[in-house]
């Protein structure tokens, strides 16, 4: 069942038993709806969350007391800008940003073309925020429980029609709040602000002291991205550890296996780990507001921890480090103008925000370093890299090249997506001289860039990026040719989705492996689309080599897919190899 925002003051949320209290002028109404557990076709799932821990269904006296305090804070919020437009749920959760309920596996129709054989039996999965409960006051777009929207495609042997499914990642936070029937955990981007934020934090700490909540079992949403590694599918967000999920190759349903607790020594991991396609190693990092602000880690081709964690003490202050890059010999870290300042909460401001006095930097750490003593930093004024497209080495390793979208103006990166412009640039670091040069590849508003993953960390030629209108709504996809750098606009192919039709991050699926000699751009670009006029969503397959990125196949989905973040295509062989 789909729950839409039917007016500026009416929400339907996909969870039963919700309660909310707002100011008289901000009253929200909603209807109780059956949870996925009540759906007759939904299978019961065995979930392991933080082995050895259990979540009580009984509401203790301490829990009822804390609920009352939270409601009191919401009723009598005294922060003048507590509901800034960027965190006002009436504005943030409008239209196709409004949440939906879970949907069990449901057959779909192919309404255009045929599914290419390279995609047969595989599945496209997209992650994104989907709040299971009505927010208690402020709510930022980055918040909301992780929901996976998957489309299992028929195998090459034929058989079933495409099967669509939507499931929450059953994180510890999700399970605690589902049993409580209300929001419990603090919101990083919107909740920690001013006296209201302090009051909510005190209530949460009391919940911890009275053992209603155990933050060591996880605080994250698992709502940002996905990774397939060593036979496991991971749902990721950057302030918690990954959650293992499983997509059934038989019926397309998704189940949560549990949170990874072994083989890691940090309390969180990036939502954008990198796997070297040549060595099979995976590289990752964690970051936070306490020194060391960033810690680097790596794993061998079997997924086992390899070498010691490397605390990077040369980060001078806690920065927002969302993504990084690898090359054959280096890990490349951005140090941008978005920082974390916990003291700002007392001043009535949010903890995460811009520091316009700071000079952005790029840091190069040897891939197999055991300390940050060999790390080199290079000032790159005006270059704020939030996402990375790719990086590689040239001239015998004397030059490091990074291709990334540059966010400008950086002060709008958290609050005003409508005023944000993201242009793709190529930065070249000359290691001998220490000089850095930058070349604009496209002046369009482009982000969510992807490449053929067989070229990750190695020299590549092409990337596919979404055209923001504004981000994260994508009105089209373009193909950029890096070999045209320095000769003007580098866009060589384009697909506009049409008036009122928007997609998300594109994903490139190769038609054949790099080892078999296939061309870098021989493959397909896939994405979900949503037609706002019709209220319908679909899955499209585009020809990555066509100048128009021609649509080769389209599958109409049984209900709308809200706009979200990052996706992944998992091949049939990978699905069958799941542990």
């Amino acid at each position: 069942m789909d729950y839409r925002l039917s007016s500026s003051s009416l929400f339907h949320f996909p969870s039963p038993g919700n309660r909310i209290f707002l100011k008289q002028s901000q009253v929200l109404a909603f209807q109780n709806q059956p949870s996925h557990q009540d759906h007759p076709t939904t299978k019961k799932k065995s979930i392991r969350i933080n082995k050895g821990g259990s979540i009580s269904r009984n509401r203790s006296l301490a829990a009822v007391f804390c609920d009352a305090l939270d409601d009191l804070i919401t009723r009598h919020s005294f922060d003048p800008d507590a509901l800034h437009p960027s965190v006002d749920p009436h504005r943030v959760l409008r239209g196709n940003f409004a949440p939906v309920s879970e949907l069990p596996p449901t057959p779909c129709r192919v309404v255009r073309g045929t599914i290419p054989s390279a995609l047969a039996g595989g599945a496209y999965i997209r992650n994104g925020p989907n709040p299971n409960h009505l927010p208690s006051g402020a709510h930022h777009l980055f918040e909301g429980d992780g929901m996976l929207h998957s489309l299992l495609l028929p195998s090459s042997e034929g058989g079933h029609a495409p099967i669509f499914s939507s499931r929450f990642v059953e994180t510890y936070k999700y399970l605690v709040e589902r049993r409580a029937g209300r929001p419990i955990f603090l919101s990083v981007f919107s909740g920690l602000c001013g006296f209201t934020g302090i009051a909510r934090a005190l209530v949460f700490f009391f919940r911890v002291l009275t053992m209603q909540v155990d933050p060591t079992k996880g605080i994250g949403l698992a709502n940002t991205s996905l990774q397939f590694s060593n036979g496991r599918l991971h749902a990721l967000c950057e302030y918690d550890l990954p959650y293992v999920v499983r997509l059934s190759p038989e019926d397309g349903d998704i189940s949560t296996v549990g949170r990874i607790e072994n083989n890691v020594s940090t309390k969180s991991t990036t939502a954008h780990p990198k796997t070297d396609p040549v060595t099979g190693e995976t590289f990752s990092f964690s970051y936070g507001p306490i020194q060391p602000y960033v810690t680097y880690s790596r794993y061998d081709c079997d997924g086992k921890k390899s070498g010691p964690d490397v605390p990077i003490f040369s980060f001078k202050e806690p920065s927002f480090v969302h993504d990084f890059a690898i090359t054959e010999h280096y890990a490349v870290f951005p140090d941008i103008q978005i920082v974390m300042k916990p003291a700002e909460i007392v001043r009535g401001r949010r903890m995460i925000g811009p520091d316009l006095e700071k000079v952005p930097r790029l840091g190069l750490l040897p891939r197999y370093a055991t300390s940050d003593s060999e790390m080199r930093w290079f000032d790159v004024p005006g270059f704020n890299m939030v996402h990375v497209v790719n990086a590689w080495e040239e001239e015998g390793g004397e030059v490091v090249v990074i291709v990334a979208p540059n966010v400008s103006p950086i002060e709008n990166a958290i609050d005003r997506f409508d005023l944000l412009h993201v242009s793709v640039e190529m930065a070249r670091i000359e290691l001998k001289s220490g000089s850095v040069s930058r070349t604009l590849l496209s002046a369009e508003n482009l982000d969510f860039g992807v490449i053929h993953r067989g070229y990750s960390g190695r020299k590549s030629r092409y990337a596919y990026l979404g055209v923001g209108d504004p981000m994260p709504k994508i009105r089209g996809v373009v193909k950029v040719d890096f070999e045209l750098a320095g000769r003007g606009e580098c866009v060589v192919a384009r697909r506009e989705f049409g008036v009122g039709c928007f997609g998300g991050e594109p994903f490139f699926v190769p038609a054949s492996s790099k080892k078999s000699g296939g061309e870098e751009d021989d493959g397909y670009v896939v994405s979900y689309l949503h037609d706002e006029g019709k209220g319908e969503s679909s899955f499209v397959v585009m020809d990555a080599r066509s100048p128009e990125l021609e649509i080769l196949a389209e599958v109409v989905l049984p209900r709308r897919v809200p706009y979200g973040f990052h996706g992944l295509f998992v091949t049939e062989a990978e699905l069958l190899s799941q542990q």
Side-chain angles (χ1 to χ4, degrees):
M1 188 176 293
D2 192 345
Y3 304 92
R4 296 165 184 261
L5 175 64
S6 58
S7 75
S8 62
S9 62
L10 177 61
F11 291 89
H12 296 296
F13 270 69
S15 179
N18 291 314
R19 293 170 295 167
I20 188 71
F21 301 92
L22 291 181
K23 296 177 182 177
Q24 189 79 23
S25 60
Q26 299 164 348
V27 174
L28 301 177
F30 52 92
Q31 298 175 351
N32 290 340
Q33 301 288 351
S35 72
H36 74 278
Q37 292 175 313
D38 303 319
H39 200 290
T41 62
T42 301
K43 297 180 180 179
K44 292 184 178 179
K45 296 175 284 183
S46 175
I47 306 302
R48 177 184 62 81
I49 300 294
N50 298 292
K51 186 177 179 181
S54 62
I55 303 168
S56 173
R57 294 176 180 272
N58 298 323
R59 302 293 289 154
S60 66
L61 187 61
V64 173
F65 175 68
C66 290
D67 292 350
L69 287 178
D70 266 334
D71 293 340
L72 186 66
I73 292 167
T74 302
R75 280 198 196 102
H76 302 286
S77 173
F78 42 83
D79 287 337
D81 62 341
L83 291 182
H84 183 277
S86 66
V87 294
D88 183 347
H90 292 94
R91 298 170 182 258
V92 176
L93 299 175
R94 279 182 174 176
N96 199 40
F97 288 102
V100 294
S101 64
E102 290 194 317
L103 183 72
T106 305
C108 310
R109 291 183 302 114
V110 178
V111 296
R112 187 194 316 192
T114 57
I115 304 295
S117 60
L119 278 60
Y124 176 66
I125 316 167
R126 219 279 332 276
N127 202 345
N130 191 85
N132 190 38
H133 296 278
L134 195 65
S136 298
H139 179 84
H140 192 277
L141 181 63
F142 293 167
E143 296 160 347
D145 301 284
M147 178 173 273
L148 304 180
H149 305 276
S150 68
L151 183 69
L152 177 65
L153 300 174
S155 68
S156 55
E157 300 174 358
H160 64 74
I163 300 174
F164 179 79
S165 178
S166 296
R167 294 296 193 193
F168 281 108
V169 182
E170 296 193 346
T171 63
Y172 175 73
K173 172 190 177 295
Y174 168 83
L175 292 177
V176 168
E177 294 184 341
R178 189 177 74 183
R179 284 157 174 77
R182 60 181 297 129
I184 297 291
F185 285 70
L186 297 173
S187 300
V188 175
F189 285 92
S190 65
L192 295 176
C193 180
F195 293 110
T196 297
I198 295 172
R200 289 196 191 281
L202 291 173
V203 173
F204 182 76
F205 291 147
F206 184 73
R207 292 185 190 272
V208 174
L209 290 174
T210 54
M211 294 184 290
Q212 301 172 50
V213 176
D214 184 355
T216 66
K217 293 181 171 67
I219 61 171
L221 302 161
N223 69 357
T224 307
S225 64
L226 293 144
Q227 176 203 29
F228 189 88
S229 177
N230 301 107
R232 288 193 175 126
L233 182 61
H234 300 137
L236 305 165
C237 81
E238 57 207 56
Y239 47 94
D240 203 349
L241 296 174
Y243 277 81
V244 178
V245 296
R246 188 179 190 279
L247 192 150
S248 168
E250 288 80 33
D251 64 7
D253 206 356
I254 302 171
S255 57
T256 302
V257 178
R259 180 175 180 252
I260 291 181
E261 295 178 310
N262 58 349
N263 200 37
V264 290
S265 53
T266 56
K267 298 300 181 184
S268 63
T269 61
T270 176
H272 293 289
K274 307 298 179 189
T275 298
D276 188 315
V278 177
T279 67
E281 297 167 291
T282 296
F283 302 86
S284 186
F285 70 93
S286 63
Y287 76 98
I290 301 172
Q291 184 77 276
Y293 302 123
V294 177
T295 300
Y296 169 71
S297 55
R298 55 191 172 89
Y299 303 83
D300 65 22
C301 59
D302 296 319
K304 297 178 181 177
K305 194 80 164 53
S306 178
D309 288 337
V310 180
I312 304 178
F313 292 100
S314 49
F315 272 92
K316 301 173 183 176
E317 61 183 329
S319 297
F320 179 70
V321 189
H322 180 67
D323 200 354
F324 79 133
I326 60 166
T327 69
E328 190 174 354
H329 298 100
Y330 296 101
V332 185
F333 288 90
D335 186 13
I336 65 174
Q337 291 176 296
I338 301 178
V339 300
M340 291 181 280
K341 295 183 177 181
E344 293 295 294
I345 298 173
V346 180
R347 300 186 178 96
R349 302 168 189 164
R350 272 181 280 168
M351 181 177 71
I352 301 174
D355 179 358
L356 302 183
E357 307 250 330
K358 179 179 178 179
V359 177
R361 305 183 296 167
L362 290 173
L364 268 58
L365 178 71
R367 267 186 19 170
Y368 303 105
T370 55
S371 75
D372 69 341
S373 59
E374 298 179 64
M375 190 163 196
R376 294 182 62 185
W377 286 100
F378 304 85
D379 288 349
V380 193
F383 187 62
N384 285 291
M385 179 178 84
V386 175
H387 286 128
V388 177
V389 176
N390 198 18
W392 62 85
E393 298 168 26
E394 293 182 354
E395 300 181 20
E398 294 298 328
V399 175
V400 174
V401 179
I402 302 105
V403 176
N406 181 22
V407 177
S408 176
I410 195 63
E411 54 265 37
N412 294 330
I414 301 295
D415 288 337
R416 293 297 304 272
F417 296 122
D418 56 321
L419 300 179
L420 199 63
H421 189 86
V422 188
S423 54
V424 182
E425 297 188 21
M426 177 183 286
R428 294 176 59 90
I429 302 176
E430 306 279 347
L431 297 185
K432 283 187 177 179
S433 66
S435 64
V436 181
S437 60
R438 291 159 53 195
T439 303
L440 183 67
L441 301 183
S442 176
E444 291 193 57
N445 188 23
L446 306 177
D447 200 355
F448 295 112
V450 294
I451 62 166
H452 185 316
R453 291 200 169 189
Y455 291 81
S456 181
R458 305 300 193 274
K459 186 172 183 178
S460 58
R461 178 174 178 179
Y462 299 110
Y464 301 86
L465 299 105
V467 184
D469 192 24
M471 298 294 180
K473 290 174 65 172
I474 303 296
R475 75 163 192 264
V477 175
V478 299
K479 178 181 181 180
V480 172
D481 185 347
F482 302 154
E483 289 194 355
L484 298 179
R487 288 183 264 173
E489 190 72 29
C490 299
V491 171
V492 294
R494 175 186 304 275
R495 161 63 56 176
E496 295 284 344
F497 297 139
V499 177
C501 192
F502 300 94
E505 176 192 57
F507 192 86
F508 178 85
V509 184
S512 58
S513 69
K514 182 181 177 183
K515 293 179 181 178
S516 65
E519 295 291 330
E520 181 185 338
D521 62 345
D522 183 14
Y524 310 96
V525 178
V526 299
S527 182
Y528 288 140
L529 301 185
H530 181 69
D531 187 323
E532 295 187 341
K534 297 180 180 179
E536 295 178 350
S537 293
S538 62
F539 167 78
V540 293
V541 180
M542 294 169 272
D543 180 358
R545 305 191 81 174
S546 164
E548 299 82 26
L549 300 177
E550 178 187 358
I551 294 179
L552 301 177
E554 182 175 7
V555 178
V556 172
L557 304 179
R559 64 103 177 270
R560 69 178 179 88
V561 177
Y563 302 125
F565 298 142
H566 303 284
L568 180 70
F569 188 86
V570 185
T571 66
E572 182 177 34
E574 290 171 332
L575 287 178
L576 294 173
S577 73
Q578 290 176 99
Q579 299 178 13

